[in-house]
Amino acid sequence: MRALIAAATGLAVALALVLTLTAVGTPTGRTSPKPLLTTVPAHP
């Protein structure tokens, strides 16, 4: 019975977190105009 209560509580917390993040929405911002530069390791 305790496992069922713990699972229900965890599910409720996860659902509340998802609903909270959905209500807040995406943060405003912009992407960088510069591309990310990566380096390729030198071949031996």
Side-chain angles (χ1 to χ4, degrees):
M1 189 65 170
R2 287 183 186 177
L4 184 62
I5 293 172
T9 303
L11 184 62
V13 169
L15 185 62
L17 181 63
V18 168
L19 290 177
T20 302
L21 291 176
T22 303
V24 169
T26 57
T28 57
R30 59 189 178 98
T31 58
S32 174
K34 296 181 180 179
L36 295 175
L37 300 176
T38 58
T39 58
V40 178
H43 293 286

Short mmCIF file of all heavy atoms in Angstrom, two decimals:
data_model
loop_
_atom_site.label_atom_id
_atom_site.label_comp_id
_atom_site.label_asym_id
_atom_site.label_seq_id
_atom_site.Cartn_x
_atom_site.Cartn_y
_atom_site.Cartn_z
N MET A 1 0.83 -1.19 0.00
CA MET A 1 0.00 0.00 0.00
C MET A 1 0.87 1.26 0.00
O MET A 1 0.54 2.24 -0.63
CB MET A 1 -0.91 -0.06 1.24
CG MET A 1 -1.96 1.01 1.23
SD MET A 1 -3.09 0.78 -0.13
CE MET A 1 -4.33 1.94 0.26
N ARG A 2 1.99 1.20 0.73
CA ARG A 2 2.87 2.36 0.77
C ARG A 2 3.47 2.64 -0.60
O ARG A 2 3.65 3.79 -0.97
CB ARG A 2 4.00 2.14 1.77
CG ARG A 2 3.58 2.21 3.20
CD ARG A 2 4.78 2.04 4.11
NE ARG A 2 4.36 1.97 5.50
CZ ARG A 2 5.20 1.77 6.50
NH1 ARG A 2 6.48 1.57 6.25
NH2 ARG A 2 4.76 1.72 7.73
N ALA A 3 3.77 1.58 -1.34
CA ALA A 3 4.34 1.76 -2.67
C ALA A 3 3.35 2.43 -3.59
O ALA A 3 3.72 3.28 -4.42
CB ALA A 3 4.77 0.42 -3.24
N LEU A 4 2.08 2.09 -3.47
CA LEU A 4 1.05 2.70 -4.30
C LEU A 4 0.89 4.18 -3.97
O LEU A 4 0.77 5.02 -4.87
CB LEU A 4 -0.29 1.97 -4.08
CG LEU A 4 -1.45 2.42 -4.94
CD1 LEU A 4 -1.14 2.19 -6.42
CD2 LEU A 4 -2.71 1.67 -4.55
N ILE A 5 0.94 4.51 -2.70
CA ILE A 5 0.84 5.91 -2.29
C ILE A 5 2.06 6.69 -2.76
O ILE A 5 1.94 7.82 -3.25
CB ILE A 5 0.68 6.01 -0.75
CG1 ILE A 5 -0.67 5.42 -0.34
CG2 ILE A 5 0.81 7.45 -0.28
CD1 ILE A 5 -0.85 5.28 1.15
N ALA A 6 3.25 6.09 -2.66
CA ALA A 6 4.46 6.75 -3.11
C ALA A 6 4.44 6.98 -4.61
O ALA A 6 4.84 8.04 -5.10
CB ALA A 6 5.68 5.94 -2.71
N ALA A 7 3.95 5.99 -5.36
CA ALA A 7 3.86 6.14 -6.82
C ALA A 7 2.86 7.22 -7.20
O ALA A 7 3.12 8.03 -8.10
CB ALA A 7 3.48 4.81 -7.44
N ALA A 8 1.74 7.26 -6.52
CA ALA A 8 0.73 8.29 -6.81
C ALA A 8 1.25 9.68 -6.46
O ALA A 8 1.01 10.64 -7.19
CB ALA A 8 -0.55 7.99 -6.03
N THR A 9 1.98 9.78 -5.37
CA THR A 9 2.55 11.07 -4.98
C THR A 9 3.59 11.53 -5.99
O THR A 9 3.60 12.69 -6.40
CB THR A 9 3.18 10.97 -3.58
OG1 THR A 9 2.20 10.52 -2.66
CG2 THR A 9 3.73 12.30 -3.13
N GLY A 10 4.44 10.62 -6.41
CA GLY A 10 5.46 10.96 -7.41
C GLY A 10 4.84 11.39 -8.72
O GLY A 10 5.29 12.33 -9.37
N LEU A 11 3.78 10.69 -9.13
CA LEU A 11 3.09 11.05 -10.37
C LEU A 11 2.45 12.42 -10.26
O LEU A 11 2.50 13.23 -11.19
CB LEU A 11 2.04 9.99 -10.70
CG LEU A 11 1.30 10.16 -12.00
CD1 LEU A 11 2.26 10.11 -13.19
CD2 LEU A 11 0.24 9.09 -12.14
N ALA A 12 1.85 12.71 -9.11
CA ALA A 12 1.22 14.01 -8.90
C ALA A 12 2.25 15.14 -8.92
O ALA A 12 2.02 16.20 -9.50
CB ALA A 12 0.46 14.01 -7.58
N VAL A 13 3.41 14.91 -8.32
CA VAL A 13 4.47 15.92 -8.30
C VAL A 13 5.00 16.15 -9.72
O VAL A 13 5.21 17.30 -10.14
CB VAL A 13 5.59 15.51 -7.33
CG1 VAL A 13 6.81 16.41 -7.51
CG2 VAL A 13 5.10 15.56 -5.90
N ALA A 14 5.19 15.07 -10.47
CA ALA A 14 5.69 15.20 -11.83
C ALA A 14 4.69 15.94 -12.70
O ALA A 14 5.06 16.81 -13.50
CB ALA A 14 5.98 13.83 -12.41
N LEU A 15 3.42 15.63 -12.56
CA LEU A 15 2.38 16.32 -13.33
C LEU A 15 2.31 17.80 -12.96
O LEU A 15 2.17 18.66 -13.84
CB LEU A 15 1.03 15.64 -13.09
CG LEU A 15 -0.13 16.17 -13.91
CD1 LEU A 15 0.13 15.98 -15.41
CD2 LEU A 15 -1.41 15.48 -13.51
N ALA A 16 2.43 18.11 -11.68
CA ALA A 16 2.41 19.51 -11.25
C ALA A 16 3.61 20.27 -11.83
O ALA A 16 3.49 21.42 -12.23
CB ALA A 16 2.42 19.59 -9.73
N LEU A 17 4.76 19.61 -11.88
CA LEU A 17 5.96 20.25 -12.44
C LEU A 17 5.77 20.53 -13.92
O LEU A 17 6.11 21.62 -14.41
CB LEU A 17 7.17 19.36 -12.20
CG LEU A 17 8.51 19.89 -12.71
CD1 LEU A 17 8.88 21.17 -11.98
CD2 LEU A 17 9.60 18.85 -12.51
N VAL A 18 5.24 19.57 -14.65
CA VAL A 18 5.01 19.76 -16.09
C VAL A 18 4.00 20.88 -16.33
O VAL A 18 4.21 21.73 -17.20
CB VAL A 18 4.53 18.43 -16.73
CG1 VAL A 18 4.01 18.66 -18.13
CG2 VAL A 18 5.66 17.43 -16.74
N LEU A 19 2.94 20.90 -15.56
CA LEU A 19 1.93 21.95 -15.74
C LEU A 19 2.49 23.33 -15.38
O LEU A 19 2.17 24.33 -16.02
CB LEU A 19 0.69 21.64 -14.90
CG LEU A 19 -0.14 20.46 -15.38
CD1 LEU A 19 -1.29 20.20 -14.43
CD2 LEU A 19 -0.64 20.68 -16.79
N THR A 20 3.34 23.39 -14.38
CA THR A 20 3.96 24.66 -14.00
C THR A 20 4.88 25.16 -15.11
O THR A 20 4.84 26.34 -15.47
CB THR A 20 4.76 24.50 -12.70
OG1 THR A 20 3.88 24.04 -11.67
CG2 THR A 20 5.39 25.80 -12.28
N LEU A 21 5.70 24.27 -15.65
CA LEU A 21 6.60 24.69 -16.73
C LEU A 21 5.82 25.08 -17.98
O LEU A 21 6.22 25.98 -18.71
CB LEU A 21 7.59 23.56 -17.05
CG LEU A 21 8.62 23.27 -15.97
CD1 LEU A 21 9.48 22.08 -16.36
CD2 LEU A 21 9.49 24.49 -15.71
N THR A 22 4.71 24.42 -18.23
CA THR A 22 3.89 24.77 -19.38
C THR A 22 3.25 26.14 -19.18
O THR A 22 3.16 26.94 -20.12
CB THR A 22 2.79 23.70 -19.59
OG1 THR A 22 3.42 22.44 -19.75
CG2 THR A 22 1.96 24.01 -20.81
N ALA A 23 2.82 26.43 -17.98
CA ALA A 23 2.18 27.71 -17.70
C ALA A 23 3.17 28.86 -17.80
O ALA A 23 2.82 29.95 -18.24
CB ALA A 23 1.54 27.68 -16.31
N VAL A 24 4.41 28.62 -17.39
CA VAL A 24 5.43 29.67 -17.44
C VAL A 24 5.77 30.00 -18.89
O VAL A 24 5.94 31.16 -19.24
CB VAL A 24 6.68 29.23 -16.66
CG1 VAL A 24 7.84 30.18 -16.91
CG2 VAL A 24 6.38 29.17 -15.18
N GLY A 25 5.84 29.00 -19.73
CA GLY A 25 6.14 29.22 -21.14
C GLY A 25 7.63 29.22 -21.40
O GLY A 25 8.47 29.05 -20.51
N THR A 26 7.95 29.43 -22.66
CA THR A 26 9.35 29.44 -23.04
C THR A 26 9.97 30.79 -22.70
O THR A 26 9.33 31.83 -22.83
CB THR A 26 9.51 29.18 -24.55
OG1 THR A 26 8.75 30.15 -25.26
CG2 THR A 26 9.00 27.80 -24.92
N PRO A 27 11.22 30.80 -22.29
CA PRO A 27 11.87 32.06 -21.98
C PRO A 27 12.14 32.87 -23.25
O PRO A 27 12.40 32.32 -24.31
CB PRO A 27 13.18 31.65 -21.30
CG PRO A 27 13.44 30.28 -21.80
CD PRO A 27 12.10 29.66 -22.05
N THR A 28 12.05 34.17 -23.10
CA THR A 28 12.34 35.03 -24.25
C THR A 28 13.84 35.16 -24.39
O THR A 28 14.57 35.26 -23.41
CB THR A 28 11.71 36.42 -24.06
OG1 THR A 28 12.21 36.99 -22.86
CG2 THR A 28 10.20 36.32 -23.98
N GLY A 29 14.29 35.18 -25.59
CA GLY A 29 15.72 35.28 -25.84
C GLY A 29 15.97 35.16 -27.32
O GLY A 29 15.06 35.04 -28.13
N ARG A 30 17.23 35.20 -27.67
CA ARG A 30 17.58 35.06 -29.08
C ARG A 30 18.80 34.18 -29.20
O ARG A 30 19.54 33.99 -28.24
CB ARG A 30 17.84 36.42 -29.73
CG ARG A 30 18.95 37.21 -29.07
CD ARG A 30 19.02 38.63 -29.61
NE ARG A 30 20.06 39.36 -28.93
CZ ARG A 30 21.28 39.54 -29.41
NH1 ARG A 30 21.61 39.05 -30.58
NH2 ARG A 30 22.18 40.22 -28.73
N THR A 31 18.98 33.66 -30.36
CA THR A 31 20.13 32.81 -30.58
C THR A 31 21.34 33.66 -30.97
O THR A 31 21.20 34.78 -31.45
CB THR A 31 19.85 31.79 -31.69
OG1 THR A 31 19.50 32.49 -32.87
CG2 THR A 31 18.71 30.86 -31.31
N SER A 32 22.49 33.11 -30.77
CA SER A 32 23.71 33.81 -31.10
C SER A 32 23.89 33.85 -32.61
O SER A 32 23.67 32.86 -33.30
CB SER A 32 24.90 33.11 -30.45
OG SER A 32 26.10 33.70 -30.88
N PRO A 33 24.31 34.98 -33.16
CA PRO A 33 24.53 35.05 -34.60
C PRO A 33 25.78 34.28 -35.03
O PRO A 33 25.92 33.93 -36.19
CB PRO A 33 24.68 36.54 -34.87
CG PRO A 33 25.14 37.12 -33.59
CD PRO A 33 24.52 36.27 -32.51
N LYS A 34 26.69 34.02 -34.10
CA LYS A 34 27.91 33.32 -34.43
C LYS A 34 27.68 31.81 -34.33
O LYS A 34 27.10 31.34 -33.35
CB LYS A 34 29.04 33.71 -33.47
CG LYS A 34 29.44 35.16 -33.56
CD LYS A 34 30.57 35.45 -32.60
CE LYS A 34 30.97 36.91 -32.68
NZ LYS A 34 32.06 37.21 -31.73
N PRO A 35 28.16 31.05 -35.30
CA PRO A 35 28.01 29.60 -35.18
C PRO A 35 28.98 29.03 -34.15
O PRO A 35 30.00 29.65 -33.84
CB PRO A 35 28.35 29.11 -36.59
CG PRO A 35 29.24 30.16 -37.13
CD PRO A 35 28.78 31.46 -36.54
N LEU A 36 28.64 27.89 -33.61
CA LEU A 36 29.54 27.24 -32.69
C LEU A 36 30.71 26.65 -33.44
O LEU A 36 30.54 25.97 -34.45
CB LEU A 36 28.81 26.13 -31.93
CG LEU A 36 27.69 26.59 -31.01
CD1 LEU A 36 26.97 25.38 -30.42
CD2 LEU A 36 28.23 27.44 -29.88
N LEU A 37 31.90 26.96 -33.00
CA LEU A 37 33.09 26.45 -33.66
C LEU A 37 33.59 25.22 -32.93
O LEU A 37 33.77 25.23 -31.72
CB LEU A 37 34.18 27.54 -33.69
CG LEU A 37 33.80 28.82 -34.42
CD1 LEU A 37 34.93 29.84 -34.30
CD2 LEU A 37 33.49 28.55 -35.89
N THR A 38 33.78 24.18 -33.65
CA THR A 38 34.30 22.95 -33.06
C THR A 38 35.61 22.58 -33.74
O THR A 38 35.84 22.96 -34.90
CB THR A 38 33.32 21.78 -33.22
OG1 THR A 38 33.07 21.60 -34.60
CG2 THR A 38 32.01 22.07 -32.51
N THR A 39 36.43 21.89 -33.05
CA THR A 39 37.70 21.45 -33.62
C THR A 39 37.69 19.94 -33.78
O THR A 39 37.13 19.23 -32.95
CB THR A 39 38.88 21.86 -32.75
OG1 THR A 39 38.69 21.31 -31.45
CG2 THR A 39 38.98 23.38 -32.64
N VAL A 40 38.32 19.49 -34.82
CA VAL A 40 38.43 18.05 -35.07
C VAL A 40 39.81 17.62 -34.59
O VAL A 40 40.80 18.28 -34.92
CB VAL A 40 38.25 17.75 -36.57
CG1 VAL A 40 38.42 16.27 -36.84
CG2 VAL A 40 36.92 18.25 -37.05
N PRO A 41 39.90 16.54 -33.81
CA PRO A 41 41.21 16.12 -33.36
C PRO A 41 42.10 15.70 -34.53
O PRO A 41 41.62 15.16 -35.52
CB PRO A 41 40.93 14.91 -32.45
CG PRO A 41 39.48 14.64 -32.55
CD PRO A 41 38.83 15.73 -33.32
N ALA A 42 43.36 15.99 -34.39
CA ALA A 42 44.31 15.65 -35.46
C ALA A 42 44.48 14.14 -35.51
O ALA A 42 44.52 13.45 -34.51
CB ALA A 42 45.65 16.31 -35.17
N HIS A 43 44.59 13.64 -36.74
CA HIS A 43 44.79 12.21 -36.93
C HIS A 43 46.26 11.87 -36.74
O HIS A 43 47.14 12.63 -37.17
CB HIS A 43 44.35 11.81 -38.34
CG HIS A 43 42.88 11.93 -38.55
ND1 HIS A 43 41.98 11.06 -38.01
CD2 HIS A 43 42.15 12.86 -39.23
CE1 HIS A 43 40.76 11.44 -38.36
NE2 HIS A 43 40.83 12.53 -39.09
N PRO A 44 46.54 10.77 -36.10
CA PRO A 44 47.96 10.41 -35.86
C PRO A 44 48.67 10.00 -37.13
O PRO A 44 48.13 9.65 -38.10
CB PRO A 44 47.88 9.24 -34.89
CG PRO A 44 46.48 8.76 -34.93
CD PRO A 44 45.64 9.84 -35.50
#
